Amino acid sequence: MTPRLFAPLLAACLTLSGAAAAQDTLYFSAIPDEDETRLAERFGAVAEYLSEELDVPVEFVAVKSYPAAVTAFRNDQVQLAWFGGLSGVQARLLVPGARAIAQGDEDTKFVSYFIAHEDTGLTRSEKFPEEARGMSFTFGAKTSTSGRLMPEYAIRQNTGEAPDEFFGRVGFSGDHSQTLRLVASGAWQVGALNFAVYDQAVADGAPEVETAKIIWQTPPYPDYNWTIRGDVDERWGEGFADKVQAALVGMDDPELLAAFPRNAFIPADNQDYVAIEEVGRELDLLE
């Protein structure tokens, strides 16, 4: 074969080889419940662990928003994702055969904290904080289970009113860490966030917890979950989804688990999140 004919053929082979290699990579993402830098730090080591356990290349893909995480999953840009309860339901409704395969041990009974700036005079109670009526209030991301869905449900259940009827002003911070910062600064008087983010801030000695205090917590509900696409067995071999589930449930390195943070992962399935789907439909957050 002449060099002139061989060169294009070689280039084509390399292109196909590169495409095949890319196809062999398992991509996963996570809802951006904290800032992007911290997410990359949290999940880089997790990608390495999964790559070793699954014997395929695994890469973490950062996304900018909760809807972007769902879109990436729907469009097959990622095949595995660490979702919140609501975003997991959204993703599974969009991708045939997608299923929840694991959740944190804590995720069977997750709660949201309502926090308030110390100047409000609100203190912790077992009862819903009726004294917060007329104050300013911030949720986290608009489709966050622990930062919006279940806090809004709790507000409606306890007051019989929509959030913007009970509170004087209502907004969305974008993520749990930002909610904590904004309430701590006094920009918002009251807010709702993921209990694990607040507890981690306490463990880290974050200054925000000095001025942003817990005043109430919601009843427990199911939340975060690992969800995998329904076509992974066709691409990586029969039983691959179960192998991923086993790798996640078998993750016992405290440093890896601290990235979530969770004590352990346990098996999960779609039925675990029926209640979240029902609340999402009730609040018109699902089509």
Side-chain angles (χ1 to χ4, degrees):
M1 183 179 293
T2 66
R4 181 177 296 177
L5 293 175
F6 179 73
L9 180 60
L10 176 61
C13 289
L14 290 174
T15 300
L16 290 172
S17 175
Q23 181 67 25
D24 288 341
T25 299
L26 174 69
Y27 295 97
F28 81 93
S29 192
I31 53 171
D33 55 0
E34 294 188 81
D35 64 79
E36 191 172 329
T37 300
R38 178 156 182 148
L39 284 175
E41 293 173 352
R42 283 167 59 183
F43 294 115
V46 174
E48 293 180 10
Y49 165 80
L50 289 175
S51 183
E52 292 178 4
E53 292 294 311
L54 302 174
D55 197 28
V56 300
V58 179
E59 292 184 21
F60 170 69
V61 178
V63 293
K64 296 291 186 181
S65 67
Y66 283 58
V70 174
T71 298
F73 188 81
R74 180 192 64 194
N75 293 344
D76 198 23
Q77 294 166 296
V78 301
Q79 296 78 45
L80 174 70
W82 175 238
F83 285 127
L86 180 61
S87 52
V89 168
Q90 290 173 321
R92 292 190 294 274
L93 289 173
L94 291 168
V95 179
R99 60 188 180 100
I101 56 174
Q103 60 185 314
D105 188 39
E106 299 88 338
D107 291 301
T108 59
K109 295 182 178 180
F110 214 78
V111 298
S112 297
Y113 286 157
F114 278 48
I115 58 173
H117 191 274
E118 60 182 358
D119 287 350
T120 64
L122 297 173
T123 57
R124 190 163 188 168
S125 173
E126 296 296 316
K127 296 181 180 181
F128 183 85
E130 288 282 350
E131 299 81 5
R133 178 179 293 278
M135 295 184 181
S136 63
F137 178 89
T138 183
F139 291 110
K142 290 184 178 181
T143 54
S144 168
T145 305
S146 52
R148 193 276 176 87
L149 178 74
M150 298 313 293
E152 177 168 346
Y153 182 69
I155 293 166
R156 290 175 180 271
Q157 288 290 100
N158 283 278
T159 69
E161 300 175 69
D164 58 0
E165 295 171 332
F166 179 80
F167 293 104
R169 181 167 60 101
V170 174
F172 295 90
S173 71
D175 66 57
H176 303 293
S177 298
Q178 184 71 345
T179 295
L180 178 56
R181 287 191 289 267
L182 290 172
V183 174
S185 71
W188 294 89
Q189 292 173 292
V190 185
L193 79 166
N194 173 328
F195 87 95
V197 171
Y198 189 93
D199 286 357
Q200 188 62 52
V202 172
D204 293 342
E208 288 84 358
V209 300
E210 297 300 317
T211 54
K213 304 293 187 180
I214 301 168
I215 58 171
W216 186 70
Q217 71 179 48
T218 64
Y221 53 86
D223 199 358
Y224 288 72
N225 58 94
W226 284 102
T227 289
I228 197 164
R229 285 179 59 92
D231 55 5
V232 295
D233 282 13
E234 297 173 16
R235 297 159 65 175
W236 284 281
E238 188 67 29
F240 185 77
D242 292 337
K243 189 175 180 180
V244 175
Q245 181 183 52
L248 293 170
V249 172
M251 187 186 298
D252 57 7
D253 184 329
E255 291 187 9
L256 292 178
L257 292 169
F260 293 89
R262 296 293 185 274
N263 292 319
F265 287 114
I266 60 175
D269 61 48
N270 294 359
Q271 285 298 114
D272 295 329
Y273 296 89
V274 169
I276 293 297
E277 180 175 350
E278 291 174 349
V279 174
R281 293 192 187 282
E282 185 175 331
L283 299 184
D284 293 325
L285 295 177
L286 289 171
E287 296 180 0

